[in-house]
Amino acid sequence: MRLLSFALLITSFTVIPAAQSAELNGQPGLYEINLHTVMPGMDMPDQVLQECMTKEDLADPQRMLNKGGSDGCQLKDLKQENNRMNFSIICPNEQMTGQGAYLFAGDSYTGQMALTMPNPGGAGSAMSITTTTKAKRIGPCK
């Protein structure tokens, strides 16, 4: 059960990159977000979701994180350069840390987030999770 809830938590992180897209050549609107997540020993099917990103959402990365139900996670070391954004993320409740890097192109963005958490089985090394994101604005918010 913890892995399922963790996988849902990862999907909430994928909307974070758009949070600064107003300064990174991005547009408010409804985005279709395609996710490919790789976890050791677990075949995760690709997911497609839609997320409305308002002008206010796009101005504040922490707001987008909270909107995704991140349960106490915080962005750290947020760096923007040209159309790129890099950040670290810390989630004390899940004992999880990670890094993300995203590239913006007007009405779309791509990126990758790598997260590490303790092994859910309690033994062995930490578990790594990598999520690759491709997002495209599909119109105005509904």
Side-chain angles (χ1 to χ4, degrees), residues 10-11 13-18 33-39 75 78 83-89 97-104 109-116 128-135:
I10 288 174
T11 63
F13 294 147
T14 62
V15 298
I16 295 168
I33 304 167
N34 295 281
L35 309 170
H36 178 74
T37 301
V38 177
M39 299 169 68
L75 295 177
L78 180 65
N83 289 327
R84 295 186 181 277
M85 183 173 78
N86 297 306
F87 59 90
S88 296
I89 190 163
T97 60
Q99 295 79 41
Y102 291 82
L103 177 64
F104 300 87
Y109 65 88
T110 59
Q112 188 170 66
M113 186 176 308
L115 301 167
T116 303
S128 298
I129 299 98
T130 302
T131 300
T132 302
T133 304
K134 294 180 183 177

Side-chain angles (χ1 to χ4, degrees), residues 40-74:
M42 189 173 210
D43 185 18
M44 298 291 293
D46 287 358
Q47 296 180 335
V48 178
L49 58 107
Q50 292 183 354
E51 183 69 38
C52 176
M53 296 186 211
T54 67
K55 184 177 179 180
E56 294 79 17
D57 293 334
L58 295 170
D60 183 358
Q62 193 65 48
R63 177 180 167 138
M64 288 302 294
L65 180 61
N66 294 340
K67 184 178 180 178
S70 62
D71 195 26
C73 297
Q74 294 183 345

Side-chain angles (χ1 to χ4, degrees), residues 1 8 36 42 91 95 98 103 125 127 134:
M1 182 64 175
L8 293 173
H36 178 74
M42 189 173 210
C91 301
Q95 300 176 352
L103 177 64
S125 61
M127 186 167 79
K134 294 180 183 177

